[in-house]
């Protein structure tokens, strides 16, 4: 059985915002949610041009932090409610895009606070235009928003079909200004979406098409990623890999690499994509016990000989910066991760010992 739902209109290509300015006429007042880099990569400039040409009133919040907190979302949503927009534009990496989704709900539901989003059935949301400027999260085509909660000391997601952006405008030229480490880290986020999506019990014939193509594209660019020699075609492919990863997890969800990574992001300030990359190889080792053919398919499509070969590649790109954890931290992170609802997306049961194995293999012990 296949079940595929993606209500987002996707526009992909160079100068896609400039060539499709009419998209911004979905309303008369727009609130833009973004972060500082948008003023350097050309995205804000393109959007403002489109808004001005269509006489759309707009206001901007431009300082969304990485891994946005519930508190920041509450602060922004007050400004947004005061401006009273009829739609939201999110521009940036996953942090501004996920913030745009949260704010789009809070602007439509005045009585809600950001912390309510995790356990309230969402019934209203302003339309969202999502413009990604990193190559990792695929948030422009997913029904998820991931926020940081200091109350639970973790990252937490909320999901609703209503927060799928109405439009995703993907222009890979915005990636040209990415620092090398952000390109690497976010590409690993996209790769982990493809891998976790493929191994999920929700994977099917339709998601497999995007996984296969995404892994093949990653195989093509991996050498240039390693040699820091990325050309325009590589950036186009990176944007596509990220988009495919988003399309896949929108259907399948993610597995345990993500909840494991949240520990490293929350407690050790490690960027999301890098945190996933740290766990990918040992996760595949465990999965190869249960799904040997599927893991072999992934390794082959990526053009590696075996999991160790992939692990070597990841370490080289991350510059072997292994995290140091003590035994108590390892046990604690394993216990937190096994409680995640993502465990239910696995095709098999997973023991706490296996979770500890993944952590032990991926980090250095103090
Ligand atoms: P990010 O936190 O949005 O941004 C990372 C860094 O990249 C920031 O320093 C940002 O700078 C910079 N940056 C962004 N675009 C740039 C550009 N074009 N040129 C130069 N610098 C640029 O990173 P992300 O990895 O894309 O997003 C991570 C977040 O997404 C996490 O919270 C994660 O949990 C979430 N996520 C969501 C989904 C989903 O389905 N919704 C899936 C996976 C991950 P400035 O801050 O200065 O702008
Ligand atoms: Fe992710």
């Amino acid at each position: 059985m296949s079940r595929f739902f993606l209500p987002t209109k996707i526009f992909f290509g160079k100068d896609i915002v400039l060539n499709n300015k009419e998209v911004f006429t979905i309303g008369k007042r727009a609130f833009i949610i973004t972060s500082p880099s948008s003023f350097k990569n050309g995205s804000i400039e393109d959007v403002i041009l489109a808004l001005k040409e269509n006489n759309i009133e707009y206001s901007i919040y431009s300082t969304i932090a990485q891994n946005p907190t519930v508190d920041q979302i509450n602060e922004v949503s007050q400004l947004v409610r005061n401006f009273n927009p009829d739609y939201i534009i999110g521009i940036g990496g996953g942090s501004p895009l996920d913030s745009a989704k949260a704010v789009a709900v809070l602007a439509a539901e005045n009585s809600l606070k950001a912390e309510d989003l995790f356990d309230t059935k969402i019934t209203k949301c302003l339309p969202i235009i999502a413009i990604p400027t990193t190559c990792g999260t695929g948030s422009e085509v997913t029904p998820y928003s991931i926020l940081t909660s200091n109350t639970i000391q973790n990252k937490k997601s909320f999901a609703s079909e209503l927060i799928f952006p109405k439009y995703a405008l993907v222009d890979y030229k915005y990636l040209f200004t990415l620092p090398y480490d952000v390109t690497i880290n976010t590409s690993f986020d996209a790769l982990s979406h493809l891998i976790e999506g493929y191994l999920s019990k929700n994977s099917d014939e339709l998601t497999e098409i995007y996984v296969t193509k995404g892994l093949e594209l990653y195989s093509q660019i991996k050498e240039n990623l390693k040699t820091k020699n990325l050309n325009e075609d590589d950036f186009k492919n990176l944007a596509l890999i990220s988009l495919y990863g988003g399309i896949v997890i929108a259907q399948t969800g993610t597995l345990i690499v993500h909840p494991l990574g949240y520990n490293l992001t929350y407690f050790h300030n490690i960027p999301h994509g890098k945190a996933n990359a740290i766990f990918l190889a040992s996760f595949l080792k465990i999965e190869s016990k249960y799904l040997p053919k599927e893991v072999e398919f992934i390794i082959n499509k990526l053009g590696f000989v075996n999991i160790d070969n992939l692990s070597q590649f990841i370490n080289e790109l991350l510059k072997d910066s292994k995290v140091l954890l003590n035994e108590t931290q390892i046990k604690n992170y394993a216990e937190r991760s096994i409680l995640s609802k993502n465990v239910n997306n696995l095709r098999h049961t997973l023991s706490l010992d296996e979770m500890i194995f993944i952590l032990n293999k991926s980090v250095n012990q103090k």
Side-chain angles (χ1 to χ4, degrees):
M1 186 192 80
S2 284
R3 210 171 26 185
F4 194 97
F5 182 63
L6 184 67
T8 305
K9 286 190 187 165
I10 305 168
F11 291 52
F12 183 94
K14 201 167 177 186
D15 290 329
I16 211 71
V17 170
L18 295 176
N19 293 331
N20 295 279
K21 296 196 195 92
E22 71 287 352
V23 163
F24 294 86
T25 57
I26 58 168
K28 291 187 164 22
R29 287 172 76 78
F31 199 101
I32 303 172
I33 310 264
T34 189
S35 62
S37 55
S38 302
F39 292 87
K40 295 183 203 135
N41 60 38
S43 53
I44 273 280
E45 206 177 316
D46 289 354
V47 168
I48 289 179
L49 206 72
L51 293 173
K52 285 192 170 151
E53 238 178 77
N54 287 303
N55 293 317
I56 312 291
E57 301 263 344
Y58 66 89
S59 180
I60 309 181
Y61 182 94
S62 62
T63 49
I64 291 291
Q66 291 183 53
N67 306 300
T69 59
V70 162
D71 293 341
Q72 184 169 36
I73 298 301
N74 279 326
E75 179 197 315
V76 185
S77 63
Q78 270 322 314
L79 301 172
V80 176
R81 282 168 181 159
N82 292 342
F83 182 75
N84 197 23
D86 42 26
Y87 73 101
I88 305 289
I89 304 171
I91 308 174
S95 300
L97 297 188
D98 286 2
S99 302
K101 290 170 171 177
V103 161
V105 176
L106 297 177
E109 299 254 28
N110 272 318
S111 59
L112 288 185
K113 288 206 168 105
E115 49 271 41
D116 302 327
L117 294 170
F118 302 122
D119 43 31
T120 304
K121 184 166 170 44
I122 287 152
T123 56
K124 281 189 232 154
C125 179
L126 293 187
I128 302 162
I129 297 179
I131 304 173
T133 68
T134 62
C135 46
T137 71
S139 178
E140 65 276 10
V141 288
T142 72
Y144 316 121
S145 165
I146 293 115
L147 306 177
T148 295
S149 162
N150 290 321
T151 314
I152 58 158
Q153 295 199 312
N154 210 341
K155 289 168 74 84
K156 196 164 181 192
S157 66
F158 74 92
S160 164
E161 288 186 354
L162 296 180
I163 66 169
F164 268 115
K166 192 173 170 69
Y167 288 95
L169 304 178
V170 188
D171 186 341
Y172 55 88
K173 79 176 181 200
Y174 302 142
L175 304 181
F176 297 164
T177 55
L178 279 177
Y180 177 66
D181 62 326
V182 181
T183 309
I184 297 290
N185 294 342
T186 58
S187 84
F188 278 136
D189 188 24
L191 183 61
S192 88
H193 294 162
L194 294 171
I195 292 176
E196 290 177 86
Y198 184 65
L199 297 174
S200 158
K201 71 173 186 205
N202 307 316
S203 134
D204 62 28
E205 294 89 340
L206 298 179
T207 52
E208 220 176 282
I209 295 170
Y210 290 97
V211 172
T212 306
K213 190 68 198 165
L215 295 175
E216 284 170 359
L217 285 180
Y218 205 95
S219 173
Q220 280 173 34
I221 58 156
K222 67 183 196 298
E223 211 39 51
N224 288 358
L225 271 178
K226 206 156 90 175
T227 54
K228 301 191 184 184
N229 202 7
L230 296 167
N231 58 39
E232 189 164 332
D233 269 350
D234 295 327
F235 281 114
K236 181 178 174 189
N237 287 335
L238 280 163
L240 278 173
I241 294 166
S242 173
L243 183 65
Y244 294 164
I247 292 171
V248 169
I249 59 164
Q251 319 305 319
T252 63
T254 52
L255 301 179
I256 53 168
V257 172
H258 272 68
L260 278 165
Y262 293 163
N263 293 298
L264 301 191
T265 302
Y266 189 83
F267 292 111
H268 306 271
N269 207 19
I270 294 180
H272 173 65
K274 182 172 180 177
N276 288 343
I278 287 171
F279 294 114
L280 257 186
S282 13
F283 164 68
L284 282 174
K285 279 252 155 89
I286 288 286
E287 287 301 288
S288 67
K289 274 200 323 195
Y290 300 98
L291 304 164
K293 278 205 187 104
E294 284 80 356
V295 172
E296 201 185 327
F297 172 85
I298 292 167
I299 296 292
N300 285 343
K301 281 284 158 207
L302 285 173
F304 292 110
V305 182
N306 51 35
I307 300 175
D308 290 337
N309 195 205
L310 165 68
S311 174
Q312 225 172 355
F313 170 81
I314 294 173
N315 289 338
E316 227 170 288
L317 263 64
L318 299 185
K319 298 189 206 84
D320 260 335
S321 50
K322 274 208 171 180
V323 192
L324 265 183
L325 299 183
N326 62 34
E327 214 176 304
T328 316
Q329 286 169 316
I330 290 179
K331 188 157 176 282
N332 179 25
Y333 298 170
E335 283 168 355
R336 283 159 56 97
S337 306
I338 209 139
L339 291 177
S340 156
K341 57 184 185 315
N342 288 20
V343 170
N344 302 323
N345 292 334
L346 288 164
R347 297 196 211 175
H348 52 86
T349 54
L350 187 87
S351 68
L352 184 63
D353 281 348
E354 287 172 310
M355 199 66 104
I356 291 174
F357 168 89
I358 297 175
L359 273 147
N360 270 329
K361 281 260 168 208
S362 312
V363 303
N364 282 337
Q365 279 230 33
K366 266 188 204 165

